[in-house]
Amino acid sequence: MPYITTADGAEIFYKDWGSGQPVVFSHGWPLNSDAWDVELKLAADNGFRAIAHDRRGHGRSSQTWTGNDMDTYAADLNALVDALGLTDIILVGHSTGGGEVVLAAQYGAGRVAKIATAGAVPPVMVKKESNPDGLPISVFDGLRANTLADRSQFFQDLSEQFFGINKGSGISQGQRDQFWRLGMQMSLPAAYDCIKAFSETDFTEDLLALDVPILIAQGDADQIVPIADAAYKSIELVKNGILKVYPGAPHGIAGAYQQALDKDLLEFWKS
């Protein structure tokens, strides 16, 4: 299996399919690169080089004790880009991965052509003085407590909101099982620490600094990352953004939402 080694010795697993302009995918919490398989094949089938990695602590990458923070995640992604010698890159990120690619774009100035995010955590999730509309810290404390108490059952339960099953999304049991399987491949330190990374990192300045086109996509029934605090705010901060809102769509990329999103992603990649 292909790996790169980061400056601190972490081994980062990645997939590399097809050839052409590189499309580099970053996954959400608590998943890994397998969550992007449909989109990886879509990109490769349409003349792109499709690349996705398992974030450190996730999937097949090293289960490091340290480095489970957004700056290190972005540095790891930059290390992958450097190792593969990529230029003219299209970055694609879901949820936590959406924050990772926005931050990594600053490392890749001059090498990144465009960015697409789906259900992304920027600009910032947690409620604080500068973000009074955010979610209270108690929400994220609850995620941490459940992760420690019974991670396996917690991921099974969380899949209901993740895919909007409680809102009638019609997502299959198989999709829920896959969410649980990928989540359970993640180390406990990564599962715990990443909650702080995705909820408390403020990407406002990174969004303001972007000078490449960005597609900001999100379902308006997202129960994990509220659209009012995410896509609707992010589009106001970027210089060259396109907002795509999917009525009734959940956080997890599956079913009808996945079909619609993939159509828009492909159009954006080719534009």
Side-chain angles (χ1 to χ4, degrees), residues 197-240:
F198 72 65
S199 64
E200 297 184 35
T201 304
D202 191 333
F203 301 94
T204 300
E205 295 303 319
D206 302 289
L207 290 167
L208 288 168
L210 289 179
D211 58 1
V212 297
I214 179 169
L215 171 66
I216 298 173
Q218 189 162 11
D220 67 4
D222 191 327
Q223 298 173 73
I224 305 299
V225 179
I227 191 171
D229 297 329
Y232 287 154
K233 288 186 176 179
S234 291
I235 195 63
E236 298 296 324
L237 296 170
V238 297
K239 300 180 182 71
N240 189 6

Side-chain angles (χ1 to χ4, degrees), residues 136-157:
I137 191 67
S138 59
V139 171
F140 305 106
D141 288 340
L143 295 180
R144 281 183 277 265
N146 284 322
T147 296
L148 287 177
D150 188 347
R151 180 163 46 121
S152 183
Q153 186 61 51
F154 173 52
F155 286 161
Q156 289 188 10
D157 295 341

Side-chain angles (χ1 to χ4, degrees), residues 66-125:
T66 60
N68 298 306
D69 58 82
M70 200 61 72
D71 285 337
T72 306
Y73 296 156
D76 289 348
L77 179 54
N78 185 62
L80 175 63
V81 166
D82 281 346
L84 299 181
L86 304 181
T87 58
D88 196 27
I89 306 159
I90 301 171
L91 294 174
V92 183
H94 173 233
S95 194
T96 300
E100 181 177 285
V101 299
V102 165
L103 191 56
Q106 305 310 314
Y107 286 95
R111 294 184 296 181
V112 175
K114 59 182 73 170
I115 301 169
T117 65
V121 296
V124 60
M125 290 190 70

